[in-house]
Amino acid sequence: MKLYNLALSNFASKSRVAIYEKGLDIELVDPPGGLGSAEYKKVNPLGKVPALDIGGQLIAESEVINEYLEDKFPEKPLLPKDPEGKARVRSFTRHHDLYLEPPIRALFGQMSPKTRDAKVVEEKLADVTTRLDQVEAMLAPNGPWATGNMFTLADAALTPTLFFAVNLLPAFGAKSPLEGRPKLTAWWGRVQERPSTKKVLGEQAAAMAAMQRRG
């Protein structure tokens, strides 16, 4: 198996968390020709990462990949056994993919002060604030992980995107996403120490530093 991947991509990072957590031997490769290139679209018509190649069959979209890995390699589960527990995790990952991640991604495109649209920034910051408040409300009251005692696909989804929130929001003059959110603050401290998420966060940080050096 090989995963088409970019270290800074939060969706590819989401799948890497699952891979590292399960201890899987999956090759990580850059998309040939670059993201969205004609060459890569011959492999993955969407032109996005991540995409998982399993002997010539391609699986796209991080959540589908992670669910496949969960079914294929259940020995170290990232979903609870009970239907209610599964639903809690999937509600969390759905909220991440549809509501939390998009406005943060939009802010990433506003990083340059020369091309920044102040109205877009204001709107997206307000949206991010709302979504982070929702995450705070959704987090398990006593942790230690997003939905309770078990580290799950919900934690895999939230970790890479919160990396962007922590690093991007202050650049726009916004307060830290952790401020006033005690459950999120405690959770963030734990994921920075867990081996799988610590490794992914380090990969993201190195990729962001390299991007900033390139200007």
Side-chain angles (χ1 to χ4, degrees):
M1 290 186 190
K2 60 183 176 183
L3 184 79
Y4 292 99
N5 160 78
L6 290 173
L8 193 56
S9 162
N10 57 336
F11 283 113
S13 296
K14 173 181 166 183
S15 288
R16 293 201 312 279
V17 171
I19 289 168
Y20 298 158
E21 190 69 27
K22 288 178 173 291
L24 302 178
D25 184 17
I26 294 178
E27 182 185 6
L28 303 177
V29 297
D30 290 344
L35 197 65
S37 68
E39 183 180 357
Y40 181 47
K41 285 182 178 178
K42 292 177 182 177
V43 178
N44 176 13
L46 293 175
K48 298 179 178 181
V49 293
L52 182 68
D53 185 321
I54 50 171
Q57 178 183 344
L58 197 79
I59 300 175
E61 298 296 320
S62 61
E63 195 65 14
V64 180
I65 291 168
N66 285 5
E67 291 265 359
Y68 166 78
L69 295 175
E70 180 68 8
D71 289 340
K72 184 74 172 178
F73 305 102
E75 295 79 12
K76 190 168 185 182
L78 294 174
L79 281 174
K81 291 183 179 179
D82 62 296
E84 294 77 15
K86 285 185 172 75
R88 282 194 297 273
V89 172
R90 287 168 175 153
S91 293
F92 218 116
T93 59
R94 189 76 169 166
H95 179 274
H96 167 270
D97 290 359
L98 294 181
Y99 304 113
L100 175 62
E101 193 277 342
I104 293 176
R105 178 181 293 269
L107 285 173
F108 195 77
Q110 297 290 325
M111 285 299 293
S112 173
K114 294 180 180 179
T115 58
R116 185 175 296 171
D117 185 323
K119 184 178 180 181
V120 170
V121 170
E122 182 181 3
E123 290 174 352
K124 298 307 177 184
L125 285 175
D127 196 2
V128 170
T129 297
T130 298
R131 303 311 180 185
L132 287 171
D133 287 342
Q134 291 167 350
V135 169
E136 176 71 13
M138 292 167 66
L139 285 167
N142 299 311
W145 305 112
T147 60
N149 291 328
M150 180 181 179
F151 184 94
T152 69
L153 295 179
D155 301 283
L158 186 56
T159 297
T161 295
L162 197 61
F163 167 86
F164 281 111
V166 167
N167 285 280
L168 289 185
L169 295 193
F172 293 100
K175 65 182 181 181
S176 166
L178 305 177
E179 187 176 329
R181 300 184 179 100
K183 288 192 292 183
L184 188 61
T185 299
W187 174 88
W188 181 240
R190 287 188 284 270
V191 297
Q192 290 181 89
E193 297 302 323
R194 190 176 181 93
S196 63
T197 43
K198 183 177 182 179
K199 182 176 181 179
V200 166
L201 290 169
E203 291 167 346
Q204 285 186 286
M208 179 173 278
M211 182 189 71
Q212 290 170 339
R213 286 194 298 271
R214 292 193 299 268

